[in-house]
Amino acid sequence: MQTAEIRRRWLDFFEQRGHTVVPSASLVSDDPSLMFTVAGMVPFVPYLSGLVPAPYPRATSVQKCIRTNDIEEVGKTPRHGTFFQMCGNFSFGDYFKEDAIRFAWELLTSSEADGGLGFDPEDLWVTVYEDDDEALALWKQHSTLPDERIQRLGKDTNYWSTGQPGPAGPCSEIFYDLGPEHGIDGGPATDDDRYVEIWNLVFMQYQITDVRSKTDFTIVGELPNKNIDTGMGLERVAFIKQGVQNMYEIDQVRPVLDRAAELAGKRYGANHEDDVRLRVIADHVRSGLMLIADGVTPSNEGRGYILRRLLRRVIRSMRLLGVEGATFPELFPVSRDAMSAAYPQVASDFDFISRAAYAEEKTFLRTLASGSQILDTAVDAAKQAGAEVPGDTAFLLHDTYGFPIELTLEIAEEAGVDVDRGVFATLMQEQRDRAKADAKAKKGQRADLSVYKELRGLGETAFVGYDELVHESRVLGIVVDGAPAPEAREGQIAEIVLAETSLWAESGGQDSDQGLIVGDGFEAEVLDVQKPVPGLIVHTVKVTVGTVALDARAETRVDADYRRGATQAHSGTHIVHAALREVLGPNAHQAGSYNKAGYLRLDFTHSDALSAETKSEIEEISNLAIRSDYEVVTREMPLEEAKALGAMALFGEKYGDRVRVVDIGGPWSRELCAGTHVSSSAEVGMISLVSESSVGSTNRRVESLVGIEAFRNFAAERTIVQQLTSGLKVPRAELVTKVQDLGAQLRAAEKKIAALEAEKLTQRVPELLAGAEELNGVRAVLGSLGAVGSADEVRALALQLRERLGSDPGVVVLAGESAGKPLVIAATTAAARDRGVRAGDLAKLGAGVLGGGGGGKPDLAQGGGSDVAKIGDALAEIRRSLAG
């Protein structure tokens, strides 16, 4: 039975029993605490927890999931996969244990001819929570299982909770017995791989608190509405129904494995290590295909980093199988064909998917060529010294060459050496801290989502700001310091929930509105507006006058100037997007955006940098569209109707059944968008494209100023031009030539100065050689040079000195100050290296004293730091090391 057929039978079965079929949510989770959708129940958490009223009493889905916490186990076990599909049926206060158990048994054991999955009851086992007598009785009532194949197990395996205070309950798991040839007798209680868990039924019936561990908490009572959350592993059922040994051999995965084996000239099943690599390739290619299909692109952060790691593990595995060239153009089409029956979008969007994947492979093959030499040198040095690969080398490979640390660890492990992960972790944390320091300061930490449960239960916050900038409403909720409060007093920062609002909440790339919330005796400045849960708009405010109380009448007042600038920028984003597609072609899809009053940022799918002429053309087309005064029309309609009209759905975005379509100039720009817009393109005023850069191997970014900010930018540049023409006494037409001439003169002068500085240093060779010392049989030249021009000059001097030392054991260590920072350079002769003296060790030692880091090859290395005053101490420490 094909995997897509199992999927279809699942959905049909539950739809016939009153369940609403819910399409799979994106792999990119809406939950801010999750990077990916990691389980089938994740999209339903707001309904299961009661945070948001469920739109249907019962539902079913086949949810796409990604888990990478066990990535090292992929390929080694029969059922560890990064991408998998979870079949689920859910009840939100509707049916409970009896129907959940009855449905599961019926679907599993009904014949294939009757629409079931056709499992033999003799092959099935069930576990229940040790105290759940009710579930045990229901299994006896609705199944044909004998008592010995219904086992009671403890909280560690058969009790579900989130690990936090909230809903929890016992669960019942269904297992398939692979047979005695696969392991020992005794059922799932043995925890033997012979028994494969295929379905878990969670009975969400209790409220827990004081959670001390997974198995230690306090049950405070039953939930008012008991819920059902189940999950059947589609891949696990597929490999059983298809009679294969593991999930990598099912119809959706095996074709990639076979193609990889063919490319490598290998036979699957002939060699264990090769088999593991082939399974890794098959799994990761499918995961990469599905992640890119949901809008994730390779990068060095977050989800993009996970995708990059998966793709690079594929490349690494293919190289270990002996294939060093590009293989993605062979593997990804095979995965597309295997998955498109269940997910047609992987075929329709394959142009985008393939370009993202192929570009990543091309980039990483170059990375391997350059980074591997550095890593191989570091690994060889570590093996010779019986030491670890330095953590700063691992960080350099990650930060500069794009080597995931996991890949560095794998290569080092294969060579039998460790990596200094402590130093690597420190450097990574320093980088993260710098990134956090650059983040927007205004985004404060929000309350726990459970605080909004009752507020969301009062209904959806109505946004009326398309037509009104001022609107009177009522205060439904106040949150202060993460907890509900009856009021917020002057000077406090609070979160305010209103029945309706005219203030835009940040979404769709558009930043939140600025404005005020005012009422009888109070006034509050709006700092931020967000949607922490679907349907609920929360205003973060600073109360500047009086006290805001629950149920008070409140008027939202949008800052009209800010909104005007924001609508200009958002419509400007659509215009720039259309201009990009007109110039670069239809493959230039928007891949992300951010806009606020006076500014827009647009990421788009394109591999190559834009030339000055292309940027100028895009800017001109954008401003011609503004001058044409195109009408901007917004309409609401069903999603399918909008797509039929040709409205662009942005890649990776999520849309409901009804959508808002924004036309600028009719079909010239037609996109799905909920943001606020101008009424005609002329209102945008002006677009000034100020920046174009790379944000990944397949994405570029343009930044533009809009409206009055664009005018101010042109005015500022005009002033600069006037100052330059006046100061240099040339007409504007000759300004560029004049500046180029001055630049050439400056470079020539700098080159002459550098030559003089180098000559000056060379004159010190006799003096430095005269001061050479004999340290433990090694002739050592240790010198402090004072202020120097550059590290290159010091390196050239060190090489001259090393050459003068001849073939005897010798070492040169020079330190100096360049651009206000200390540096140290070490060089060794071959005879010194034979005695175990390595330049990299000496540079690292000296740099450590200087407050920095260093390293390099055994014959020549460099380090730096921050404390110039410790140059003497650094040389003294190196002297002690050599003497010892």
Side-chain angles (χ1 to χ4, degrees):
M1 187 181 293
Q2 298 291 288
T3 307
E5 174 62 15
I6 299 170
R7 179 180 185 272
R8 185 193 65 77
R9 286 174 180 247
W10 174 278
L11 295 175
D12 287 350
F13 177 88
F14 283 103
E15 185 176 27
Q16 291 164 10
R17 285 152 184 81
H19 293 66
T20 298
V21 175
V22 179
S24 173
S26 170
L27 287 169
V28 178
S29 174
D30 285 332
D31 186 335
S33 66
L34 296 174
M35 190 175 291
F36 295 115
T37 301
V38 296
M41 53 88 73
V42 168
F44 299 98
V45 166
Y47 311 144
L48 293 167
S49 65
L51 188 62
V52 176
Y56 22 67
R58 51 177 74 180
T60 186
S61 69
V62 177
Q63 175 61 46
K64 301 175 291 185
C65 303
I66 284 279
R67 288 184 193 168
T68 57
N69 53 322
D70 292 329
I71 193 171
E72 302 303 331
E73 297 304 311
V74 171
K76 299 176 182 178
T77 73
R79 49 187 182 270
H80 271 96
T82 49
F83 173 85
F84 61 97
Q85 300 157 87
M86 188 60 71
C87 303
N89 60 284
F90 306 89
S91 166
F92 311 107
D94 187 13
Y95 63 84
F96 199 49
K97 288 184 186 179
E98 181 169 11
D99 280 348
I101 289 171
R102 181 170 58 84
F103 289 153
W105 186 255
E106 184 181 352
L107 176 57
L108 285 174
T109 61
S110 292
S111 69
E112 293 184 14
D114 292 333
L117 296 178
F119 279 92
D120 185 341
E122 296 298 318
D123 294 327
L124 300 178
W125 289 69
V126 164
T127 64
V128 297
Y129 177 53
E130 57 191 359
D131 294 336
D132 194 352
D133 296 335
E134 181 185 8
L136 182 68
L138 288 169
W139 275 113
K140 289 182 178 181
Q141 177 183 343
H142 291 287
S143 76
T144 59
L145 291 168
D147 290 354
E148 63 270 16
R149 281 198 278 125
I150 306 175
Q151 297 183 323
R152 294 179 184 261
L153 296 179
K155 280 184 180 177
D156 57 334
T157 59
N158 278 67
Y159 207 96
W160 175 89
S161 78
T162 63
Q164 301 292 328
C171 58
S172 179
E173 297 178 333
I174 306 171
F175 290 79
Y176 179 82
D177 182 0
L178 292 172
E181 66 274 20
H182 290 274
I184 61 176
D185 293 333
T190 64
D191 198 27
D192 191 85
D193 283 345
R194 167 179 168 176
Y195 306 95
V196 180
E197 179 200 335
I198 58 174
W199 201 335
N200 185 17
L201 314 177
V202 174
F203 309 128
M204 208 175 293
Q205 66 185 108
Y206 297 114
Q207 182 78 22
I208 64 171
T209 187
D210 192 20
V211 180
R212 298 169 289 278
S213 72
K214 179 182 177 182
T215 58
D216 187 13
F217 45 79
T218 302
I219 298 176
V220 294
E222 293 202 345
L223 294 170
N225 289 317
K226 299 180 179 65
N227 299 323
I228 287 293
D229 156 30
T230 86
M232 185 187 82
L234 182 56
E235 280 78 9
R236 295 187 182 189
V237 171
F239 88 69
I240 293 168
K241 292 299 295 179
Q242 293 174 20
V244 295
Q245 297 301 307
N246 53 61
M247 64 166 287
Y248 312 103
E249 297 176 14
I250 66 172
D251 60 297
Q252 288 186 342
V253 186
R254 180 64 185 258
V256 179
L257 187 154
D258 288 339
R259 184 64 183 128
E262 183 181 351
L263 292 171
K266 304 287 185 179
R267 183 175 64 82
Y268 182 62
N271 177 279
H272 174 69
E273 286 188 358
D274 286 347
D275 287 352
V276 170
R277 290 163 185 157
L278 289 167
R279 292 194 287 261
V280 167
I281 291 163
D283 172 86
H284 289 5
V285 166
R286 184 170 77 141
S287 299
L289 175 88
M290 301 306 294
L291 281 168
I292 300 172
D294 274 355
V296 182
T297 54
S299 72
N300 283 336
E301 296 292 337
R303 300 179 181 94
Y305 175 73
I306 298 297
L307 171 61
R308 172 161 283 169
R309 182 184 174 194
L310 293 170
L311 296 179
R312 294 187 171 190
R313 278 171 59 88
V314 173
I315 299 166
R316 170 75 177 155
S317 296
M318 288 300 299
R319 287 172 70 90
L320 290 172
L321 290 171
V323 182
E324 298 195 355
T327 60
F328 284 5
E330 298 289 336
L331 300 176
F332 268 78
V334 175
S335 189
R336 172 202 62 198
D337 295 344
M339 294 300 295
S340 59
Y343 302 99
Q345 69 268 29
V346 300
S348 60
D349 294 333
F350 191 69
D351 180 65
F352 172 83
I353 295 168
S354 59
R355 281 188 292 109
Y358 300 169
E360 177 64 16
E361 182 179 38
K362 182 179 179 181
T363 298
F364 190 53
L365 288 174
R366 290 197 302 265
T367 292
L368 280 172
S370 54
S372 292
Q373 185 175 357
I374 295 172
L375 182 55
D376 291 345
T377 300
V379 167
D380 289 343
K383 289 178 71 174
Q384 292 177 23
E388 296 178 318
V389 173
D392 51 0
T393 301
F395 180 75
L396 172 73
L397 287 165
H398 162 80
D399 196 48
T400 304
Y401 293 92
F403 260 62
I405 181 61
E406 296 81 10
L407 182 56
T408 299
L409 292 171
E410 286 179 13
I411 295 173
E413 183 182 357
E414 289 167 7
V417 297
D418 294 325
V419 177
D420 187 343
R421 298 204 65 177
V423 171
F424 174 83
T426 299
L427 294 171
M428 282 296 295
Q429 189 58 50
E430 289 174 357
Q431 185 185 68
R432 292 189 191 102
D433 291 343
R434 288 192 296 271
K436 288 179 181 177
D438 293 337
K440 293 171 68 178
K442 90 170 193 177
K443 305 298 182 190
Q445 185 172 355
R446 302 203 156 272
D448 188 283
L449 294 183
S450 61
V451 173
Y452 306 119
K453 177 178 178 180
E454 291 185 9
L455 295 171
R456 180 60 181 83
L458 298 176
E460 191 167 336
T461 310
F463 174 67
V464 298
Y466 292 128
D467 305 310
E468 305 175 51
L469 296 185
V470 178
H471 183 78
E472 186 172 319
S473 185
R474 184 167 61 89
V475 177
L476 297 182
I478 300 173
V479 178
V480 178
D481 294 331
E487 62 182 24
R489 298 184 300 278
E490 186 172 323
Q492 285 187 310
I493 304 293
E495 292 177 300
I496 305 293
V497 175
L498 305 171
E500 307 93 18
T501 181
S502 56
L503 289 150
W504 174 261
E506 182 177 1
S507 57
Q510 182 175 332
D511 204 355
S512 59
D513 274 333
Q514 295 179 3
L516 300 172
I517 297 177
V518 300
D520 186 13
F522 71 84
E523 183 173 302
E525 177 191 358
V526 176
L527 306 177
D528 191 17
V529 190
Q530 294 288 327
K531 297 177 180 177
V533 297
L536 188 70
I537 296 177
V538 176
H539 311 77
T540 301
V541 303
K542 180 177 182 180
V543 183
T544 54
V545 176
T547 298
V548 186
L550 282 174
D551 210 39
R553 302 304 299 176
E555 189 174 80
T556 55
R557 297 180 182 175
V558 178
D559 182 321
D561 286 339
Y562 186 87
R563 170 66 75 81
R564 183 181 302 108
T567 57
Q568 288 175 317
H570 203 153
S571 297
T573 303
H574 286 221
I575 289 171
V576 172
H577 187 205
L580 279 165
R581 290 171 59 78
E582 186 171 322
V583 174
L584 302 177
N587 290 330
H589 288 281
Q590 180 176 326
S593 68
Y594 172 73
N595 50 76
K596 62 180 181 178
Y599 168 85
L600 72 85
R601 181 183 74 215
L602 177 67
D603 296 346
F604 60 99
T605 54
H606 195 66
S607 300
D608 302 321
L610 305 185
S611 66
E613 293 77 11
T614 300
K615 288 185 285 187
S616 183
E617 185 180 1
I618 291 166
E619 187 177 62
E620 182 174 358
I621 290 172
S622 298
N623 283 290
L624 286 173
I626 292 171
R627 191 186 71 172
S628 298
D629 197 18
Y630 290 141
E631 184 181 13
V632 179
V633 177
T634 60
R635 296 170 287 168
E636 279 199 5
M637 62 183 69
L639 176 60
E640 293 308 315
E641 181 181 338
K643 288 182 176 180
L645 283 174
M648 286 193 63
L650 300 185
F651 205 80
E653 284 289 329
K654 307 174 184 70
Y655 299 98
D657 293 333
R658 288 192 64 80
V659 293
R660 193 163 176 265
V661 178
V662 178
D663 288 355
I664 301 178
W668 184 73
S669 169
R670 178 170 288 161
E671 297 188 21
L672 305 184
C673 180
T676 64
H677 288 272
V678 297
S679 58
S680 68
S681 63
E683 294 177 30
V684 173
M686 182 186 296
I687 286 174
S688 172
L689 201 157
V690 295
S691 170
E692 190 268 341
S693 60
S694 169
V695 286
S697 57
T698 59
N699 285 349
R700 307 293 298 179
R701 170 175 291 172
V702 290
E703 297 176 88
S704 297
L705 298 176
V706 185
I708 191 64
E709 294 301 326
F711 168 77
R712 288 170 179 159
N713 181 60
F714 280 123
E717 290 184 352
R718 179 184 60 196
T719 301
I720 292 170
V721 170
Q722 289 173 343
Q723 290 172 342
L724 288 172
T725 55
S726 175
L728 297 176
K729 295 181 171 41
V730 294
R732 188 174 69 174
E734 299 176 13
L735 181 60
V736 173
T737 301
K738 181 67 174 178
V739 171
Q740 290 173 340
D741 289 343
L742 289 173
Q745 293 173 28
L746 179 61
R747 287 189 294 274
E750 289 174 340
K751 188 175 181 180
K752 186 175 182 180
I753 291 169
L756 291 172
E757 291 285 351
E759 183 180 349
K760 183 179 175 182
L761 282 176
T762 300
Q763 292 171 359
R764 297 189 62 179
V765 168
E767 168 201 342
L768 291 165
L769 284 172
E773 310 169 52
E774 288 293 328
L775 299 173
N776 201 15
V778 175
R779 192 178 179 200
V781 177
L782 309 178
S784 176
L785 304 178
V788 296
S790 69
D792 290 341
E793 296 170 8
V794 180
R795 191 179 300 108
L797 178 60
L799 292 174
Q800 285 186 55
L801 288 165
R802 184 178 69 179
E803 185 177 353
R804 296 285 290 273
L805 292 176
S807 60
D808 295 332
V811 62
V812 178
V813 181
L814 302 177
E817 177 186 349
S818 177
K821 297 284 187 181
L823 64 87
V824 59
I825 289 179
T828 58
T829 65
R833 293 193 294 277
D834 290 341
R835 300 189 57 171
V837 182
R838 293 179 175 78
D841 297 338
L842 298 176
K844 185 176 181 179
L845 178 63
V849 177
L850 296 172
K857 297 180 179 179
D859 63 325
L860 183 65
Q862 176 178 332
S866 57
D867 193 344
V868 174
K870 290 190 175 180
I871 285 178
D873 295 339
L875 291 173
E877 185 65 26
I878 291 171
R879 181 178 288 106
R880 281 192 290 273
S881 174
L882 289 169

